[in-house]
Amino acid sequence: MIYRREIDGLRAAAVMPVILFHAGFSFFSGGFIGVDVFFVISGFLITSIILEEMRNGTFSLAAFYERRARRLLPALFLVILCCLPFAWFWVMPEEFRAFSDSLIATSLSGANFLFWFESGYFAPEAGGVPLLHLWSLAVEEQYYMFFPLLVMFMCKRRRNWLFAALVVIACASLAYSEWASRAFPSANFYLLPSRAWEFLVGSICSLLEMKGQKRGSNPLSLLGFCMIAFSVFYFDETSAIPSTLALVPVVGTMFVLLFAQQGTLVAALLSTRVFITVGKISYSVYLWHQPLFAFARIRSIDPPPITEMAVLACFSLVLGYLSWRFVEQPFRRSRHRLLPSRRGLAASASVILAALTAFGLYGHDTRGIPWRLPEPIKKFIAESEWSKNCLIESGSGWDEMPIKSCIFNGGHAQTYAILGDSLASALTPALTSRLDGMDIGLQQITHSFCAPVVDVSMVPRSARECGAFNAAAIDYLINSKVKTVFLAASWQVFFEQSRYVFKGEEVATSDVSQRLRDAFDKTVGQLTSAGIRVVIIYPHPRGDTEIAAKVAKLMHKGLPAPTVTIAEDEFRQQSSPSYAYLDDPKDREILRVDPARIFCGIEAGRCDLARDGRAFIFDKVHFTPAGADAVADEILIALKRDDMAAEPGVAALSSGHFQ
């Protein structure tokens, strides 16, 4: 295959936006589309190599996979091995368990499946996942598994139909990605079926070029380059990628591959020394950048400044050059290369992959190898875990209400109930303990992602059972002997969604304000009409990073009793929409408990997330046992005030918000 310098330059134009996007440069809001550009380039080059070797009668499937292994594995192994000591010394157990899972998935060429299940690519916490970027390598490896077999099959049976077959498959994949971008956006982003068309566009370019359509065109190549640039600067995390929207950067890449021949302005730009150099080392640079950024974020107490991220971006170029020069090239050069025999390469790769898998399994089974950490930190983390007991997950099902194993202290004369999502689950043990002292039992009715609001749920797949769950729970409660129900949820998360599902109909936020109010009023009204006292647990201050892990990091750095706070004004601003919804029901049989009364004001203008080494929030939302204890104490104060009142009414626990 004839070497084209501008393709190396195009690689540089693809990798740098990805790096700057992951570094946090908001100007490159669509930098992630560099991966789409890479997929097109990969499809073009792989198809060109396979077809040229087939034409010359030299193609071998074993040789093809050997070249791919020599290209991808040495630098990958180096980066992963360099990640291990930093993860060992810096990463907290839950994060280390997730890191271990990514080692297993990467070793099995399935990182995209893992991150589909576990991580949103654009979620704030994704920046602290060292191997997140390897999802794209997994997609590419999966493409390499199937594509040569398809080409071999078509060339043996109907060689003239190859072009048409690739066009048909590409169109089918594009149509699927357009549908999946709305129906299953996370799977659409990570999995090969919705990405295949991007590789195949490159393959189609290769076939067109082999048919003699090598025609330089300044206007078309410049248009293609501008389409890529437009995507980098104007797309953002809300852009549905891949879908028909991805045709902008993909077709742009196609135009550059076909029409940026030598002599055009775009080819001249991409053939400059800077572009070619970065392009040649782009694979290694891509491997290095995310671990550098992730470990910087993990090690830092607060998000690293953009200047630090810029320095790390430059450092990734340095490491990329070194690993290209001293790792990639020695394994790929034709003479005097390392592990020259195919059998030796396969054996060595197998041993390393097996070792990484075994280490990953150990990290997973031990829940992040917590014994790595000093004893005080291990004890702190263990004592800070929030309770997931009796928390129903999507797909796990429930037989009937009540769930008998989730009735605590059921021998008491009275029984209360707590209804809500995982936040309610975190509160339950502390509340159970205090009610037990009052001879009151507690029924836990909790489902992850299910705020206790009838007829409405969030859109994500994890919330798909919420309508049926809440309906069954409310129906049970109004026909039970329960006379007090606590409603607790991650209200801020629930009320800040961009879309909701109302009785099976997906609706945008702009159309739902009154419907949300009506749904919550209906929930409370159904309970109070049955003579049930409703206790609403209001929003509490939240973190922008995992709080217990942050406290543990501070302790690890020598601060024995850290305090973590956020600005009270920030909390009030974030939670004001939730307060407005929760304030709306006016029924007299309602008590309102405001955790802000506990956590805000100890330090003027600040709200505590952790104080003097005691974390109140485990991750960003869920109460630790200490936080749950504080809220449960406040709930008991509300109950006792109400029980002592001559006339039942609304407990005024926060004069700024409650009647």
Side-chain angles (χ1 to χ4, degrees):
M1 179 181 173
I2 299 174
Y3 172 66
R4 289 178 56 183
R5 292 175 294 172
E6 64 274 9
I7 292 181
D8 270 336
L10 186 57
R11 282 184 170 135
V15 75
M16 290 311 299
V18 176
I19 292 172
L20 295 172
F21 170 76
H22 286 157
F25 286 87
S26 57
F27 192 58
F28 292 85
S29 60
F32 56 89
I33 64 93
V35 173
D36 302 72
V37 176
F38 268 122
F39 287 164
V40 180
I41 296 172
S42 182
F44 176 82
L45 294 175
I46 292 302
T47 305
S48 299
I49 291 169
I50 291 174
L51 292 179
E52 183 173 329
E53 290 185 350
M54 283 186 168
R55 184 173 57 195
N56 296 333
T58 59
F59 178 75
S60 160
L61 201 58
F64 172 82
Y65 288 129
E66 179 190 357
R67 284 197 303 270
R68 292 298 89 205
R70 290 185 180 278
R71 168 81 168 108
L72 300 178
L73 294 183
L76 174 64
F77 289 158
L78 172 66
V79 171
I80 290 176
L81 292 173
C82 288
C83 286
L84 291 177
F86 294 98
W88 184 269
F89 289 109
W90 289 356
V91 174
M92 295 299 109
E94 279 302 309
E95 296 167 324
F96 195 92
R97 190 184 196 190
F99 176 77
S100 300
D101 291 342
S102 65
L103 290 179
I104 300 169
T106 298
S107 300
L108 300 176
S109 298
N112 55 331
F113 288 97
L114 173 71
F115 294 123
W116 166 40
F117 285 117
E118 292 192 351
S119 301
Y121 184 77
F122 300 105
E125 60 270 18
V129 180
L131 303 182
L132 175 66
H133 62 319
L134 298 186
W135 74 268
S136 62
L137 185 60
V139 173
E140 193 163 349
E141 289 169 347
Q142 291 156 20
Y143 173 77
Y144 294 154
M145 293 177 192
F146 296 110
F147 183 74
L149 301 177
L150 172 65
V151 175
M152 290 172 65
F153 175 80
M154 292 302 301
C155 288
K156 286 183 178 180
R157 297 300 180 96
R158 292 285 190 275
R159 187 182 186 93
N160 294 335
W161 289 12
L162 177 61
F163 182 84
L166 297 184
V167 170
V168 169
I169 297 172
C171 290
S173 173
L174 174 60
Y176 170 78
S177 72
E178 175 63 25
W179 171 77
S181 67
R182 294 186 294 272
F184 305 104
S186 184
N188 180 63
F189 185 88
Y190 282 117
L191 302 186
L192 179 61
S194 49
R195 292 286 185 174
W197 69 274
E198 297 178 327
F199 291 97
L200 293 172
V201 165
S203 300
I204 291 166
C205 289
S206 173
L207 287 168
L208 290 173
E209 189 175 79
M210 292 186 75
K211 290 181 178 180
Q213 299 187 21
K214 297 182 181 180
R215 217 178 300 169
S217 170
N218 267 318
L220 290 176
S221 60
L222 188 59
L223 173 62
F225 192 77
C226 289
M227 291 169 74
I228 297 172
F230 174 85
S231 305
V232 167
F233 297 119
Y234 287 94
F235 285 10
D236 59 28
E237 62 187 43
T238 66
S239 304
I241 300 294
S243 67
T244 52
L245 186 63
L247 284 169
V248 179
V250 169
V251 172
T253 307
M254 182 180 185
F255 283 177
V256 172
L257 290 172
L258 289 176
F259 300 112
Q261 303 291 334
Q262 287 300 312
T264 62
L265 293 174
V266 172
L269 173 65
L270 296 177
S271 298
T272 56
R273 186 172 183 178
V274 171
F275 273 89
I276 291 177
T277 301
V278 174
K280 285 182 176 180
I281 65 174
S282 59
Y283 173 63
S284 281
V285 172
Y286 181 78
L287 290 179
W288 280 111
H289 83 280
Q290 177 67 9
L292 288 174
F293 296 161
F295 284 119
R297 292 178 174 119
I298 288 169
R299 187 59 175 168
S300 299
I301 301 305
D302 295 305
I306 199 68
T307 50
E308 180 180 334
M309 302 306 283
V311 171
L312 290 174
C314 295
F315 189 44
S316 71
L317 293 172
V318 175
L319 291 177
Y321 172 77
L322 293 174
S323 56
W324 172 80
R325 175 68 178 81
F326 297 107
V327 179
E328 283 192 62
Q329 291 303 301
F331 278 93
R332 297 179 65 195
R333 61 194 176 204
S334 56
R335 298 177 62 187
H336 307 298
R337 65 186 180 187
L338 297 178
L339 294 176
S341 75
R342 188 176 298 163
R343 182 174 297 178
L345 178 69
S348 301
S350 298
V351 168
I352 295 174
L353 290 171
L356 291 175
T357 301
F359 183 80
L361 288 170
Y362 179 67
H364 178 89
D365 290 342
T366 58
R367 298 182 61 85
I369 320 180
W371 56 262
R372 301 172 292 116
L373 302 172
E375 189 61 35
I377 296 177
K378 287 192 292 182
K379 182 180 178 183
F380 168 79
I381 292 173
E383 292 176 349
S384 298
E385 274 280 0
W386 63 280
S387 173
K388 304 175 183 68
N389 185 38
C390 282
L391 177 63
I392 297 172
E393 301 286 350
S394 177
S396 61
W398 68 93
D399 295 329
E400 58 182 7
M401 300 287 180
I403 303 168
K404 290 183 172 52
S405 61
C406 300
I407 301 175
F408 305 104
N409 307 321
H412 293 312
Q414 293 187 73
T415 302
Y416 292 175
I418 184 167
L419 174 62
D421 61 10
S422 54
L423 190 78
S425 177
L427 271 175
T428 298
L431 196 53
T432 299
S433 175
R434 282 151 181 77
L435 291 175
D436 186 34
M438 300 168 61
D439 294 326
I440 298 171
L442 183 65
Q443 296 185 21
Q444 180 180 343
I445 308 174
T446 55
H447 191 304
S448 60
F449 295 94
C450 294
V453 183
V454 296
D455 300 334
V456 58
S457 65
M458 298 186 292
V459 172
R461 181 179 58 178
S462 303
R464 62 189 174 189
E465 297 176 354
C466 292
F469 178 82
N470 283 329
I474 297 294
D475 182 64
Y476 160 70
L477 289 169
I478 62 178
N479 291 292
S480 73
K481 295 181 180 180
V482 172
K483 294 304 177 185
T484 297
V485 173
F486 306 99
L487 301 183
S490 305
W491 297 115
Q492 286 178 245
V493 174
F494 179 74
F495 286 121
E496 67 186 13
Q497 296 295 300
S498 59
R499 302 186 71 82
Y500 295 89
V501 176
F502 285 88
K503 296 182 178 179
E505 176 193 3
E506 189 172 327
V507 182
T509 300
S510 57
D511 303 323
V512 303
S513 178
Q514 188 56 48
R515 294 178 70 175
L516 281 174
R517 291 180 187 277
D518 292 343
F520 187 64
D521 288 354
K522 178 181 176 181
T523 305
V524 175
Q526 286 181 331
L527 294 170
T528 56
S529 295
I532 296 173
R533 176 174 58 174
V534 174
V535 183
I536 304 173
I537 316 301
Y538 270 59
H540 62 280
R542 301 187 306 169
D544 58 359
T545 59
E546 298 203 354
I547 302 306
K550 186 171 185 175
V551 173
K553 289 175 190 175
L554 287 166
M555 294 170 66
H556 201 26
K557 294 183 76 173
L559 191 62
T563 293
V564 180
T565 65
I566 62 168
E568 184 172 357
D569 288 345
E570 179 184 347
F571 162 66
R572 297 294 183 190
Q573 182 179 4
Q574 291 174 349
S575 59
S576 60
S578 300
Y579 274 77
Y581 285 113
L582 299 176
D583 284 344
D584 199 53
K586 306 303 182 188
D587 197 290
R588 291 175 57 83
E589 294 296 324
I590 300 174
L591 302 182
R592 290 177 163 89
V593 176
D594 188 4
R597 180 181 178 182
I598 315 162
F599 299 123
C600 299
I602 297 175
E603 183 180 334
R606 308 295 295 180
C607 294
D608 286 356
L609 303 173
R611 166 111 1 219
D612 297 331
R614 293 173 70 238
F616 301 124
I617 309 297
F618 181 75
D619 35 37
K620 297 180 181 180
V621 176
H622 298 98
F623 293 117
T624 63
D629 284 342
V631 176
D633 287 339
E634 194 69 11
I635 292 171
L636 253 64
I637 292 172
L639 294 174
K640 289 177 179 178
R641 283 179 180 172
D642 191 58
D643 290 340
M644 292 171 59
E647 294 182 7
V650 177
L653 299 182
S654 178
S655 58
H657 297 283
F658 305 138
Q659 300 177 357

